[in-house]
């Protein structure tokens, strides 16, 4: 490996710069970027970081292809053609910033809540994702954004059950004797956890995958439980039933470290395995055996991911699964318990980064990013407030990723909607912008990262100078703040200063600088003696906070909005898991990865394909009342009968007819957390006549 340098040498000797993967993945890998003559030549995993162990996924190992992509936006662009046409002309930063500031000022003078920021996890960095941008919009008084599109149902479930987004330490999965991989295709979306699971497997652990799709991870587990989408809570309650019936319980742990046991016990006893088997569509003996394995094996660990919470009852499902380790006392062991997210462990100084005090007592409305399709089309009203007149999009591609995208397109196509997009590429959303502002990639800016899959802070140093005229997100919002005359000293904080502010004295920044990462100090078995961060200090089977909202204080199974079997017109359930070689809509335009992925696919079971006259690799139309899209059929037993898997998320412009799978997903929200229900979706699929199947 080249010599690691803290500065950028001027000669041609290769040197290495420590960094962090910015993408929405629990692994938050530590990176080493090799630089020669100011050019990044290679990105690899940092072998000194235990969780990364020198290994990157196929996507991020090609990161230089992304940074040096020939279609990279490297100058500010102003729209010259109709919205959606992708027609732009280069302009100077001065021209772009002056016009944007003037337009935002004019709108804000009427009502700043008519301006909406729209961002998510295009970078997971604390600086480029949630610092100067929040200061800017707080000072402006713009509408607040409810950032729900990925994880808020599961996050709310953790908060209501454990008290925060906390769990077991991921490295100790390697010591478990039973691992339930629930709603996660770990090989594709949590590769470094999979390394720990494989280590446990080599040591004799049993691995069980619970997922409607027969994923690559399911292929490598001892058992796959292919339940119907949206039935996870029913399965969890049936497991509880069997734990109670056979007394596979840790009564001492329940008595001392849980709240609401009698109510949960009564609820679980309503769910014998026979009832759950009918709801979940799995053999009853499979449920009984899983309960026995879980109830009689220690240490047992559960790795959840976010796919299972993208249905109507997703929050309740996560709550139900999260209760299981407390019933068996699995938390007593460092290799026992569960993990969905570890992000709540981090001592982030969000108020310092985001400066909510800049609101100065104002309380702007909040708009849910998952209903952007409806909200961009809403007129002004007393209930809604002013019509949205300006949107500033960064770290997201809503035209591709938001549900019911036909409406999202209609909203962004409004000629009276002023849209600014900070981007690397001409994404589907950027095509609808009035201005595209060139943003830096991870190789070109400072940032600092927490993780939701481990407990290390990782620092990202810029490895190369910004390409072209690209500026970091934080710099762009600093520039806009200056144009609007904001004089608070916080708007002068540099990106490096923001990195130091993110954790303050709680994390040793000198250690971050010297080795690139720092491990949080926390117990190996954090909840062995309870001490959960909940109001009671216990695992709350019963949540008084939910009950105070008029909701059920106990977890329950809530059937999907679009329940399979409820519609003769749309008889198939559809889930839309991520394509293995993309990360949401990132990397779709990296040619080498798109070549591996091939084409937009719908996996359909052979029985469902035969009934519809669908052949493998033929073009099909997938549709419901919300819309339709075309893609290629993969006739495969990765799909369970009655369920199709629409692999996402392709850019619309790279689809067969300018659409993608989100054309047919729903804006309905989950039971908890106000999150989208991407996997709660009924469709029909039909073969497309060869004469109409022009790609």
């Amino acid at each position: 490996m080249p010599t690691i340098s803290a500065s950028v040498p001027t000669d041609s000797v290769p040197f290495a710069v420590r960094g962090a993967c910015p993408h929405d993945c629990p692994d938050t890998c530590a990176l080493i970027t090799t630089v020669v003559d100011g050019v990044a030549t290679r990105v690899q995993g940092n072998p000194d970081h235990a969780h990364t162990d020198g290994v990157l996924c196929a996507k991020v190992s090609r990161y230089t292809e992304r940074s040096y992509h020939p279609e990279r936006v490297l100058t500010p662009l102003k729209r010259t053609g109709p919205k959606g046409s992708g027609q732009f002309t280069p302009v100077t930063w001065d021209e772009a910033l002056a016009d944007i500031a003037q337009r935002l000022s004019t709108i804000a003078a009427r009502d700043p809540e008519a301006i909406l920021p729209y961002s998510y996890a295009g970078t997971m960095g604390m600086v480029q994702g949630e610092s100067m941008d929040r200061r800017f919009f707080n000072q402006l008084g713009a509408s607040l954004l409810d950032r729900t599109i990925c994880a808020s149902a599961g996050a709310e479930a953790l908060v209501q059950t454990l008290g925060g987004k906390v769990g077991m330490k991921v490295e100790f999965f390697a010591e478990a004797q039973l691992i339930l991989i629930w709603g996660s295709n770990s090989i594709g979306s949590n590769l470094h956890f999979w390394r720990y699971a494989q280590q446990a497997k080599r040591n004799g652990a049993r691995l069980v995958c619970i997922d409607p799709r027969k994923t690559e991870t399911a292929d490598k587990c001892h058992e796959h439980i292919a339940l119907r989408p949206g039935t996870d809570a029913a399965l969890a309650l049936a497991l509880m039933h069997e734990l109670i019936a056979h007394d596979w319980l840790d009564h001492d742990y329940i008595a001392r470290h849980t709240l609401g046991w009698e109510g949960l016990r009564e609820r679980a006893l309503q769910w014998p395995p026979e009832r759950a088997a009918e709801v979940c569509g799995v053999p009853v003996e499979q449920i009984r055996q899983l309960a026995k394995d879980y109830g009689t094996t220690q240490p047992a660990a559960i790795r959840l991911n976010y796919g299972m919470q993208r249905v109507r009852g997703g929050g309740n499902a996560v709550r139900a699964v999260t209760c299981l380790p407390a019933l068996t006392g699995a938390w007593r062991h460092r290799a026992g318990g569960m993990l969905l997210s570890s992000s709540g462990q981090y001592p982030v100084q969000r108020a310092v980064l985001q400066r909510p005090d800049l609101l100065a007592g104002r309380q702007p409305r909040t708009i849910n990013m998952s209903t952007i399709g409806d909200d961009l089309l809403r007129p002004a009203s007393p209930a809604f407030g002013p019509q949205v007149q300006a949107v500033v999009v960064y770290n997201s591609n809503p035209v591709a990723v938001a549900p019911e995208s036909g409406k999202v397109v209609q909203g962004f196509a409004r000629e009276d909607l002023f849209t600014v997009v900070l981007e690397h590429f001409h994404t589907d959303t950027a095509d609808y912008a009035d201005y595209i502002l060139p943003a830096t990639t991870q190789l070109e800016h400072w940032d600092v990262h927490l993780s939701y899959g481990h407990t290390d802070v990782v620092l990202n140093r810029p490895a190369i100078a910004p390409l072209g005229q690209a500026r970091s997100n934080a710099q762009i919002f600093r520039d806009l703040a200056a144009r609007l005359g904001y004089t608070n000293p916080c708007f002068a904080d540099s990106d490096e200063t923001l990195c130091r502010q993110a954790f303050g004295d709680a994390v040793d920044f000198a250690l971050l600088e010297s080795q690139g990462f720092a491990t949080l100090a926390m117990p190996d078995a954090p909840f062995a003696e309870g001490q959960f961060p909940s109001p009671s200090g216990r695992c709350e089977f019963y949540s008084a906070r939910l009950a105070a909202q008029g909701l059920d204080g106990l977890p329950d199974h809530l059937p999907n909005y679009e329940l399979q079997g409820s519609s003769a017109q749309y008889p198939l359930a559809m889930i839309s898991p991520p394509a293995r070689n993309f990360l949401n809509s990132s990397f779709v335009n990296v040619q080498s990865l798109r070549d591996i992925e091939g084409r937009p696919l719908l996996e359909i079971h052979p029985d469902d394909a035969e009934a519809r006259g669908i052949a493998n690799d033929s073009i099909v139309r997938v549709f419901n009342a919300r819309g339709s899209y075309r893609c290629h059929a993969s006739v495969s037993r990765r799909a369970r009968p009655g369920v199709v898997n629409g692999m996402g998320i392709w850019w619309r412009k790279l689809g067969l007819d300018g659409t993608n799978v989100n054309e047919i997903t729903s804006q309905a929200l989950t039971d908890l957390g106000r999150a989208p229900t991407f996997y709660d979706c009924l469709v029909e699929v039909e073969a497309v006549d060869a004469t109409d199947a022009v790609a």
Side-chain angles (χ1 to χ4, degrees):
M1 180 178 292
T3 301
I4 294 178
S5 175
S7 60
V8 181
T10 57
D11 56 32
S12 59
V13 176
F15 69 98
V17 180
R18 295 186 182 94
C21 176
H23 291 293
D24 189 357
C25 165
D27 292 6
T28 316
C29 293
L31 307 181
I32 297 290
T33 301
T34 301
V35 180
V36 181
D37 287 335
V39 176
T41 60
R42 184 185 183 193
V43 175
Q44 62 196 104
N46 186 345
D48 296 330
H49 183 238
H51 296 297
T52 305
D53 197 29
V55 177
L56 296 181
C57 67
K59 299 178 281 286
V60 179
S61 64
R62 290 173 168 83
Y63 201 84
T64 56
E65 289 185 50
R66 196 169 189 277
S67 290
Y68 293 109
H69 197 290
E71 297 173 358
R72 176 97 182 264
V73 175
L74 295 176
T75 185
L77 299 173
K78 182 176 182 179
R79 179 169 63 92
T80 57
K83 287 201 171 187
S85 67
Q87 298 174 30
F88 294 87
T89 189
V91 294
T92 66
W93 271 107
D94 281 345
E95 181 181 346
L97 291 170
D99 193 22
I100 293 168
Q102 187 275 321
R103 307 258 314 249
L104 293 181
S105 294
T106 299
I107 295 170
R110 295 192 297 265
D111 192 331
E113 292 184 32
I115 300 169
L116 176 69
Y118 194 102
S119 70
Y120 198 66
T123 174
M124 295 290 284
M126 305 301 297
V127 173
Q128 308 305 339
E130 49 179 301
S131 64
M132 195 60 68
D133 58 310
R134 309 298 170 89
R135 296 179 184 186
F136 175 80
F137 290 112
N138 285 339
Q139 178 72 62
L140 187 62
S143 288
L144 304 176
L145 184 72
D146 199 3
R147 291 175 170 86
T148 62
I149 202 163
C150 178
S152 63
E156 182 68 11
L158 291 181
V159 168
Q160 295 294 343
T161 311
L162 304 180
K165 292 183 283 185
V166 297
M168 61 182 286
K169 297 175 77 170
V170 68
E171 55 265 39
F172 296 131
F173 276 90
E175 301 172 8
Q177 288 300 301
L178 173 69
I179 302 176
L180 308 187
I181 302 175
W182 203 320
S184 176
N185 184 11
S186 303
I187 290 176
S189 61
N190 196 184
L191 181 63
H192 294 79
F193 156 75
W194 182 246
R195 179 166 54 89
Y196 294 126
Q198 287 293 92
Q199 185 177 337
K201 186 179 180 183
R202 288 192 295 272
N203 292 337
R206 179 172 174 79
L207 272 57
V208 179
C209 179
I210 303 170
D211 198 304
R213 179 174 180 255
K214 191 174 190 295
T215 62
E216 296 85 352
T217 303
D219 292 340
K220 302 293 185 182
C221 289
H222 294 96
E223 184 179 8
H224 174 216
I225 299 178
L227 76 178
R228 292 189 180 104
T231 63
D232 303 85
L235 176 59
L237 288 164
L239 297 182
M240 294 181 201
H241 178 284
E242 292 298 276
L243 296 178
I244 295 165
H246 296 277
D247 199 25
W248 295 322
L249 299 168
D250 185 329
H251 293 282
D252 175 70
Y253 195 92
I254 292 170
R256 293 196 297 125
H257 304 310
T258 73
L259 183 69
W261 164 233
E262 288 303 321
L264 183 66
R265 183 180 186 278
E266 181 180 349
R267 169 110 355 127
L269 289 176
Q270 300 170 16
W271 281 93
E274 292 80 4
R275 181 184 178 190
E278 184 176 349
V279 169
C280 299
V282 299
V284 65
E285 285 306 320
Q286 199 171 33
I287 297 176
R288 290 197 180 104
Q289 186 61 50
L290 179 64
K292 181 178 181 180
D293 291 344
Y294 187 73
T296 61
T297 305
Q298 292 283 13
I302 302 172
R303 182 64 172 107
L304 297 184
N305 214 333
Y306 286 107
M308 65 175 291
Q309 47 100 71
R310 295 187 177 122
V311 295
R312 176 199 174 201
N316 268 271
V318 172
R319 286 207 73 220
V321 175
T322 302
C323 291
L324 290 170
L327 295 179
T328 63
W331 289 115
R332 295 185 187 276
H333 309 272
R334 72 179 193 176
M338 58 79 62
L339 177 64
L340 172 60
S341 174
S342 58
S343 65
Q345 307 279 11
Y346 290 84
V348 181
Q349 298 190 134
R350 282 194 165 85
V352 174
L353 279 179
Q354 300 180 11
R355 296 294 302 270
D357 59 293
L358 295 171
L359 285 167
R362 294 169 294 179
Q363 295 181 319
R365 68 177 174 187
T366 298
I367 291 179
N368 191 331
M369 69 185 307
S370 297
T371 57
I372 190 67
D374 282 341
D375 291 333
L376 287 182
L377 299 174
R378 292 187 201 277
S381 70
F384 181 62
Q387 183 184 41
V388 177
Q389 297 172 8
V391 183
V392 181
V393 178
Y394 54 105
N395 300 336
S396 189
N397 183 11
V399 171
V401 305
E404 200 170 356
S405 54
K407 286 187 175 180
V408 181
V409 168
Q410 291 178 47
F412 275 99
R414 282 174 41 203
E415 282 296 330
D416 63 335
L417 179 71
F418 180 59
T419 303
V420 178
V421 176
L422 284 59
E423 254 301 349
H424 305 136
F425 303 106
H426 287 270
T427 63
D428 291 331
T429 305
D431 284 345
Y432 289 87
D434 293 285
Y435 281 96
I436 306 175
L437 302 181
T440 47
T441 68
Q442 189 77 344
L443 302 187
E444 302 159 78
H445 57 228
W446 283 93
D447 217 329
V448 66
H449 293 252
L450 53 72
S451 173
Y452 62 94
H454 59 68
T455 49
D456 291 355
V457 177
V458 189
L459 180 69
N460 187 76
R461 288 178 172 274
I464 58 175
L467 299 186
Q469 299 180 41
R471 299 182 182 181
S472 74
N473 286 350
Q475 182 62 49
I476 292 170
F477 285 107
R478 265 192 298 272
D479 294 339
L480 284 171
R483 292 280 177 164
L484 287 169
Y486 297 162
T487 58
N488 189 299
C490 75
F491 291 108
D493 288 343
S494 69
D495 289 13
E496 183 179 351
T497 298
L498 292 166
C499 286
R500 294 175 181 273
Q501 291 174 354
F503 296 97
D505 295 335
V507 173
D508 185 346
F509 200 82
L511 182 61
L512 286 177
E513 289 184 300
S514 64
Q515 72 175 19
F517 58 89
T519 301
L520 297 180
M522 56 181 289
D524 284 353
F527 309 119
E529 292 299 325
Q531 299 180 335
F532 293 95
S534 64
S536 65
R538 298 171 175 239
C539 176
E540 296 193 350
F541 301 151
Y542 177 83
S543 170
R545 290 173 291 169
L546 288 178
Q549 299 172 39
L551 302 174
D552 195 335
L554 294 166
D556 201 359
H557 166 64
L558 301 180
N560 280 4
Y561 291 119
E562 301 185 12
L563 186 63
Q564 190 176 359
S566 65
S567 170
Q569 192 173 8
Y570 306 116
L572 299 172
M574 187 190 77
I575 61 174
S576 44
R580 184 170 179 177
N581 294 288
F582 305 150
L583 205 161
N584 299 320
S585 73
S586 296
F587 295 100
V588 180
N589 64 323
V590 175
Q591 189 64 50
S592 63
L593 293 169
R594 198 161 75 244
D595 288 345
I596 298 170
E597 194 60 38
R599 59 211 181 282
L601 284 180
L602 181 88
E603 294 175 343
I604 184 169
H605 189 273
D607 293 350
D608 296 322
E610 183 180 9
R612 290 162 177 80
I614 293 170
N616 189 56
D617 206 36
S618 62
I619 294 177
V620 295
R621 186 172 79 97
V622 191
F623 62 97
N624 58 24
R626 289 180 288 274
S628 68
Y629 81 107
R630 292 187 305 145
C631 60
H632 290 264
S634 173
V635 179
S636 169
R637 294 187 183 275
R638 291 206 180 280
R640 63 160 285 155
V643 180
V644 293
N645 308 321
M647 309 305 290
I649 304 172
W650 283 76
W651 288 8
R652 290 167 60 90
K653 67 174 74 177
L654 297 176
L656 298 189
D657 49 12
T659 56
N660 68 14
V661 67
N662 280 322
E663 194 77 9
I664 57 178
T665 53
S666 167
Q667 293 183 77
L669 301 178
T670 53
D671 52 346
L672 305 177
R674 308 162 308 283
T677 54
F678 288 111
Y679 296 1
D680 189 338
C681 180
L682 290 182
V683 302
E684 180 57 289
V685 181
E686 65 181 11
V688 175
D689 188 279
T691 59
D692 298 326
V694 179

